[in-house]
Amino acid sequence: AAGVIQSPRHLIKEKRETATLKCYPIPRHDTVYWYQQGPGQDPQFLISFYEKMQSDKGSIPDRFSAQQFSDYHSELNMSSLELGDSALYFCASSLTAGPNNEQFFGPGTRLTVL
Amino acid sequence: GENVEQHPSTLSVQEGDSAVIKCTYSDSASNYFPWYKQELGKRPQLIIDIRSNVGEKKDQRIAVTLNKTAKHFSLHITETQPEDSAVYFCAASMDSSYKLIFGSGTRLLVRP
């Protein structure tokens, strides 16, 4: 079965640079979520999109923005990168109308800011 | 907003023993409670979930119980195996948002 795809899998950036993370949800899933997981931490919700519209916003810095495109893939744009942005970034997708709204996670993008 | 507390933070058991991880949540509107297993550097994998209209759910060696009144839910793993060693996260969500609020995680070590 198709799973959530994320690219790139690894990314190394310098401070103050920008980064773009991409997420391709499971086909026919209508909701995409972004989570940030620091070392030894639990995943923290950043932002979500339902049918290409932002549906909820969590602890996402103003330096970050995200959008969902017409083909349902989503991109997380991160500017003025800081050392503290180094983390695993997970995208998850779900079918909101499904019985439990189960979220399926992608493999993650490991971002390292030097 | 919702807050999920999880304990213990680490748990070491002998192979074959049972393991229990407990979580409490603060918002009574939460109605969906999944449990995820995460190996180092990997994605969280859903292992079992429960909705608020059910008190208990079981899947082979794994079970989850929910007490809505006390706002706590627990993961039970029986006959533990070394491959059960991982970090386990509980989470909560509600229909108004669906975002997952995670507990702080439990590192489970199953000793052969």
Side-chain angles (χ1 to χ4, degrees), chain B residues 2-99:
Chain B
E2 175 65 282
N3 182 53
V4 177
E5 295 191 356
Q6 180 173 348
H7 58 94
S9 56
T10 60
L11 180 59
S12 179
V13 300
Q14 195 70 38
E15 181 178 1
D17 287 349
S18 295
V20 180
I21 303 171
K22 299 183 179 182
C23 289
T24 60
Y25 61 99
S26 60
D27 195 330
S28 56
S30 290
N31 59 359
Y32 174 61
F33 307 94
W35 285 88
Y36 286 86
K37 175 184 179 182
Q38 187 177 34
E39 298 177 356
L40 189 62
K42 304 288 188 180
R43 78 187 80 189
Q45 297 263 19
L46 180 73
I47 56 172
I48 196 166
D49 56 12
I50 192 168
R51 285 200 72 96
S52 58
N53 58 349
V54 176
E56 184 175 357
K57 185 176 177 181
K58 192 172 181 181
D59 182 5
Q60 299 183 339
R61 298 186 296 110
I62 295 172
V64 56
T65 59
L66 171 66
N67 183 326
K68 281 195 305 181
T69 303
K71 288 190 280 190
H72 69 67
F73 55 113
S74 300
L75 177 71
H76 305 252
I77 306 175
T78 59
E79 301 172 26
T80 53
Q81 302 166 1
E83 50 265 39
D84 293 331
S85 297
V87 178
Y88 291 80
F89 290 100
C90 63
S93 75
M94 58 188 76
D95 288 347
S96 61
S97 166
Y98 300 117
K99 66 185 178 189

Side-chain angles (χ1 to χ4, degrees), chain A residues 10 16 19 26 41 67 71 80 84 91 105 111:
Chain A
H10 302 272
R16 293 180 287 278
I26 292 172
Q41 304 294 313
Q67 57 182 322
D71 64 352
S80 303
C91 170
F105 282 74
L111 173 66

